[in-house]
Every structure is written in C-alpha cells, then in structure tokens.
Amino acid sequence: MYFFFYFLSSGDKFAWMRDVEFSRQTLAGMNPYSIQLVTEWPLKSKLDPNVYGPAESAITTEIVEQEIKGFMTVEEAVKQKKLFILDYHDLLLPYVERVRQLQGTTLYGSRTLFFLSPDSTLMPLAIELTRPAMKGKPQWKEVFRPSWNATGEWLWKIAKAHVLAHDSGYHQLVSHWLRTHCCTEPYIIASNRQLSALHPIYRLLHPYLRYTMEINALAREALINGNGIIENSFSPRKISMELCSAAYDLQWRFDHQALPADLISRGMAVEDPNAPHGLKLTIEDYPFANDGLVLWDIIKKWVADYVKHYYPEPKTVQSDQELQSWWTEIRTVGHGDKKDEPWWPVLNTPDDLIGILTTIIWVSSGHHAAVNFGQYDFGGYFPNRPTIARTTLPCEDPSPERWDRFLDKPEVELLDCFPTQTQATTVMAILDVLSNHSPDEEYIGDVIEPVWAEDPIIKAAFEEFSGRLKELEGIIDGRNADTNLKNRTGAGVVPYRLLKPFSKSGVTGQGVPNSISI
C-alpha cells in the first residue's frame, strides 16, 4: 500500500512501532482528551461485579513496581502524581459480548497505565484487557507489559493495537462527534429560536456557529449512519451510536467543556493563582494543554470585552428576556435529559455570561481543531492508529493451532488484528477529507465581522483579539523549537501545531477555524 503524508514524510517512519510515540500521542496527538491522573490505588471498576466479574484490576502493585524498577513505590507514585491512565474499561466492557457477535471485529475493556518520567514524557507500564463472563466462559483478563523476550514483545504489540482501536473509537465518537459536533447543535438551535438577529449575543456567536448543522447533516447521511463508514470501520461497529449515547449519559457535563475545568476534572491540572492561566499542569510538557490554555485566555478576554460593553452590570443580564430564554432552552430542551443536574452554570451576572460564551466558542473552535485537523497526520497510516481490532489476543483461550501459528508468524497475527485493506483505505480517504481546510476557511480572529466594525469599542477589542492570536502563532513556533520540550521536539517528532490559529488551505495539521465546518 502506498502512503505519503505529513506524519510519515516529515517524521520518523517507524515511530508507530515505538512505545515512546504511543505515549507521546496521548499528550500531543489527535485525542489529548482521554489521559487522566491515577488518584486511587488499586484500580477498581465501578461496574456490578455480579455481572462483570471482580472489580479490582489485574494490574497489581507488584507489576507496577517491577516496571518502574525500584524508582519508587506505587503509593509514592500516586502521591507524587506520577501514574496516568487511559481507562476504557467500564465504558466498553458492557458492550463486549454484543460486539463479539458481529463478524470481523472484537472488543475488550481496557486500561493502559503510564509512568511520568522526570523529563515530562510518559512511559507505558502495562495494558490490561478484560473479557467479561460470556457464553459459559468465565471472565478473562490479562496484563501485558513491554518485554525483553520475543513472545512477550509481540503480545505487547498486539495489545497496543487493541488499545489504539479503543482510543480511535472513543476519539471519533466522543471527543470529536459528541463533544463538538453533536453538543453544539443545541446552542445553534436556541440561538436561532430565542435571539433576534440584531441581539448582541447572536451577533457574537454567529461566526462560531456557522455551517455546523450542514456538516452534521452530511455526517448523518454518510459517516455515522447505519452501515456507514464508522459502523463498518471502527471497533464498536453497529454499537457506535449507542456507545456515544452512553458516554453522553455517563460523562458529559457543560461545565467540564471549558478547557480549565476539563483539565482539572481529569487530574491534569490544579488551580493555582500564581501559575500562568491560574492553573498548574500535572505534566508540565502537555502540548495540547500548554497551547490550549493560551488560546482559551485569548478567547475569554475577547468575550469579556464584548460582553461588558453590552452588559455592564448584573441587572442588564437578568432583565434580558431573550438571553434568559436562550440559556433556559439550552439547558431544559437542548439537553433536556440533564436539565436537573446541579452543575449547570447560572446566568445572573456578566461574568456568568462570559464563562458560558467562552465555553461555547472554545468547543466550536479550539476543541474541535485539536481533535479534527490532525486526523490524517496521525490516523491516515493505519498501523499508527488502527480504527478496529478484528481478532482476539492469541493467548485468550487459544487453540493449539492458533498458538503455534502465532509463534511461527507473529506478524501475521498483528496484520490480522489490524483493519482490512478496504477498511484502511476507506478511513484514510475520509480522514483526508475531514482534515482539509477549504480555500475559503474562516479562521478565528482573522477577519472582523462587518457588524463588529461599526462599533469603535468592539472593533478595538477585536483588533486586540486578532493581535494576541498572531502572538500565539509565535509562541507555538517557539515551543516547537525548544529542545527541552520532549513531547514536541526530538528526532523524528512531529511538532504540535494543531492550535496554531491560522493556516493555508489543504491538509496542514494546523489552523483553528471559527466554527465546526468540516
């Protein structure tokens, strides 16, 4: 197969095989929203043990301490915030039996544990794959580790392929579709129903909500539809939308869509008034968070300048019936099944409005750019991010014939686990489309809206906003040239550019459009 694109031609062509790149992409890849801090030990499931088996993870203290080779105890590692996890165990395990009934795919619940090195890079320690009790067989779970023997190393490679398939599915269905495309629709509908075209908040939001309903309609026709690309090429197959819905029910909160709150909720940052942006990152070199927090602050300053011009005091917010009806519809109609949740922000003051609007604009611009425009760079070459795992591990209830075949030709087992040629080329083609900037792309802070230019105060605020975004371009370039930042520089490492505000057309791996338009 013939693949040439940015990730391979400009970087290390064999990076996909290496643990260092597997780990780095959790912080600087196309899905930086899943990595989280381990805060409790031992790891335990919250699922019903009577249905899914023992709650405690098979990743034991002994396994972890063997892998970190006496550097510290697990208790010390947890206390010093050194352990991190990709945890798809509880979300995926309830669907394992149903997915395994489908042809050409399989599924596990998975946990992947990492250790934070002194240079802010992550080292993978262990992968746990779990199958619940099913079809008369007891629960099966196995822990895989980086190995110095051939059999162990090939099992580790195949286990990584399964985790990457889980992460690819979660990225596409949750980090991307659910949290940006899908959950932006209520904001668009409420804005058009409740705010007049002359309302200042409608005028502010309009460029950030353009084209999203159109692109979502196209996605429902050809991407997430029944027997569409997602259902044919990603591990959950026809369970995909059900899994997306479950993630919404279990995980989605409006207040956690704000970048600072998202980082805090995952243990990736803590509030610190003395730190830049008011947050201290748990991993100092976290490219998505480092660049994202600068962009977040720039957006928030622009929104604050705009809002305080039209809403100088609380009573102006409270007495605006259109605005109050807009926020009520978003909460009680657009997200009706979560309307009684206590975490919804109130809308009583200008600061409340600033927080709500900054979150909406961040989701449609920075969040979407971070999870969308790197898809071809990282996912176009399927061994780096397989979207589906088609076979179980060769050590799960193996027949003698299969185990012998694995020992004789382990590379065949890995290739059988990867997507088919048809699936790989289909995904490559669609990721090329999704990662493309059109020639008439509208980038954040690039061109002022005519209505904003009519007011000298808003025009000046926008010019400051645009200027700060141009400064961010230089900040990111400087970070990508800093050899101390190992997660964004080094031999063969692809620089982190997904949150650079501006871009040329095409597949560039950079650029933050105003809205979700692809």
Side-chain angles (χ1 to χ4, degrees):
M1 220 175 270
Y2 189 78
F3 295 107
F4 284 104
F5 47 90
Y6 184 82
F7 178 77
L8 288 183
S9 63
S10 296
D12 179 353
K13 294 177 175 59
F14 302 101
W16 68 273
M17 299 176 65
R18 298 192 174 95
D19 290 347
V20 63
E21 185 64 16
F22 172 64
S23 302
R24 192 188 73 83
Q25 287 184 28
T26 66
L27 302 171
M30 62 192 258
N31 184 32
Y33 273 97
S34 286
I35 191 75
Q36 57 186 308
L37 179 70
V38 173
T39 57
E40 296 179 353
W41 192 266
L43 303 172
K44 287 186 178 180
S45 169
K46 293 181 174 61
L47 298 173
D48 184 352
N50 294 318
V51 177
Y52 298 104
E56 194 161 308
S57 169
I59 303 177
T60 62
T61 297
E62 292 73 22
I63 287 173
V64 175
E65 292 183 349
Q66 285 172 14
E67 289 302 309
I68 58 179
K69 298 176 174 63
F71 191 74
M72 61 179 62
T73 66
V74 170
E75 183 179 353
E76 290 169 336
V78 172
K79 186 180 295 185
Q80 294 181 33
K81 300 183 177 180
K82 297 291 187 183
L83 293 181
F84 295 81
I85 191 170
L86 287 179
D87 192 349
Y88 297 126
H89 182 277
D90 285 11
L91 182 64
L92 296 182
L93 203 63
Y95 298 97
V96 168
E97 184 167 8
R98 290 172 59 197
V99 169
R100 287 189 174 204
Q101 292 171 6
L102 306 174
Q103 207 168 18
T105 189
T106 191
L107 193 65
Y108 293 96
S110 70
R111 298 182 178 102
T112 307
L113 193 66
F114 301 87
F115 180 76
L116 181 63
S117 301
D119 62 0
S120 272
T121 58
L122 291 173
M123 177 177 72
L125 300 178
I127 291 170
E128 177 186 22
L129 299 178
T130 303
R131 179 202 70 200
M134 52 185 281
K135 294 182 177 179
K137 296 180 180 179
Q139 182 196 66
W140 179 91
K141 62 172 65 174
E142 188 74 38
V143 176
F144 303 90
R145 296 186 265 174
S147 178
W148 294 101
N149 68 75
T151 300
E153 180 60 19
W154 276 104
L155 289 172
W156 170 250
K157 281 183 170 67
I158 298 170
K160 281 198 299 181
H162 280 267
V163 169
L164 288 166
H166 301 166
D167 194 62
S168 294
Y170 185 88
H171 160 264
Q172 202 63 264
L173 296 169
V174 181
S175 301
H176 185 200
W177 168 253
L178 171 65
R179 291 183 62 178
T180 65
H181 287 259
C182 192
C183 287
T184 296
E185 289 187 353
Y187 315 145
I188 299 169
I189 294 169
S191 296
N192 284 284
R193 279 179 174 167
Q194 303 298 340
L195 302 176
S196 73
L198 298 178
H199 194 283
I201 300 307
Y202 183 90
R203 288 176 159 180
L204 172 65
L205 286 176
H206 183 63
Y208 305 108
L209 304 179
R210 283 180 181 145
Y211 313 129
T212 303
M213 299 300 285
E214 290 89 339
I215 198 65
N216 286 3
L218 289 172
R220 290 186 172 101
E221 287 179 359
L223 189 64
I224 61 169
N225 57 309
N227 203 35
I229 291 169
I230 296 295
E231 288 197 1
N232 276 315
S233 303
F234 284 74
S235 268
R237 297 295 295 269
K238 71 177 185 179
I239 312 295
S240 292
M241 285 297 101
E242 186 176 340
L243 180 66
C244 181
S245 180
Y248 173 76
D249 179 49
L250 294 168
Q251 299 176 358
W252 190 87
R253 298 174 47 155
F254 178 86
D255 58 331
H256 284 180
Q257 304 316 296
L259 178 60
D262 169 76
L263 294 170
I264 291 169
S265 73
R266 292 187 284 121
M268 302 305 290
V270 294
E271 292 186 24
D272 183 349
N274 299 315
H277 321 293
L279 291 182
K280 179 177 174 56
L281 293 177
T282 312
I283 299 177
E284 291 182 10
D285 181 15
Y286 184 2
F288 161 71
N290 295 125
D291 297 353
L293 286 170
V294 180
L295 179 57
W296 169 270
D297 280 356
I298 293 170
I299 294 171
K300 188 172 184 180
K301 177 65 166 56
W302 154 238
V303 172
D305 289 344
Y306 187 98
V307 165
K308 288 180 178 178
H309 177 60
Y310 290 102
Y311 297 91
E313 53 188 342
K315 67 180 181 181
T316 56
V317 173
Q318 296 161 12
S319 63
D320 188 330
Q321 291 304 310
E322 286 186 41
L323 189 64
Q324 293 296 330
S325 296
W326 168 80
W327 183 233
T328 298
E329 178 171 323
I330 287 172
R331 291 183 293 108
T332 65
V333 180
H335 292 283
D337 46 354
K338 290 180 178 281
K339 63 184 175 61
D340 297 321
E341 296 288 354
W343 39 255
W344 282 106
V346 296
L347 181 52
N348 292 326
T349 69
D351 283 343
D352 296 337
L353 182 56
I354 290 165
I356 290 166
L357 293 171
T358 303
T359 298
I360 291 172
I361 292 171
W362 161 258
V363 167
S364 66
S365 57
H367 180 150
H368 180 257
V371 299
N372 184 73
F373 292 105
Q375 291 189 84
Y376 190 65
D377 287 354
F378 291 105
Y381 184 59
F382 72 88
N384 185 62
R385 281 189 70 81
T387 57
I388 194 167
R390 295 187 295 133
T391 59
T392 58
L393 266 290
C395 55
E396 181 196 338
D397 304 328
S399 65
E401 294 79 13
R402 187 181 179 196
W403 186 251
D404 287 344
R405 188 184 76 148
F406 165 64
L407 294 179
D408 185 43
K409 294 185 177 179
E411 73 281 3
V412 173
E413 280 287 340
L414 181 59
L415 289 172
D416 285 349
C417 183
F418 280 154
T420 64
Q421 285 191 340
T422 299
Q423 289 168 331
T425 51
T426 300
V427 169
M428 183 176 66
I430 195 64
L431 294 187
D432 180 32
V433 172
L434 295 177
S435 301
N436 244 293
H437 291 287
S438 65
D440 61 347
E441 190 82 270
E442 298 176 359
Y443 295 99
I444 190 168
D446 190 22
V447 178
I448 192 169
E449 295 287 302
V451 69
W452 298 342
E454 294 172 2
D455 187 317
I457 294 176
I458 299 302
K459 181 181 179 183
F462 181 85
E463 287 172 348
E464 181 185 351
F465 174 51
S466 184
R468 295 184 72 194
L469 289 167
K470 290 180 175 67
E471 290 176 6
L472 176 56
E473 293 259 314
I475 290 170
I476 292 174
D477 286 341
R479 287 172 173 172
N480 286 331
D482 186 345
T483 56
N484 293 315
L485 302 178
K486 306 300 184 186
N487 290 319
R488 55 198 311 160
T489 64
V493 171
V494 178
Y496 190 74
R497 295 173 175 161
L498 291 173
L499 293 176
K500 287 194 73 173
F502 309 112
S503 174
K504 297 177 182 178
S505 61
V507 180
T508 64
Q510 58 190 6
V512 180
N514 278 327
S515 62
I516 301 164
S517 56
I518 186 66

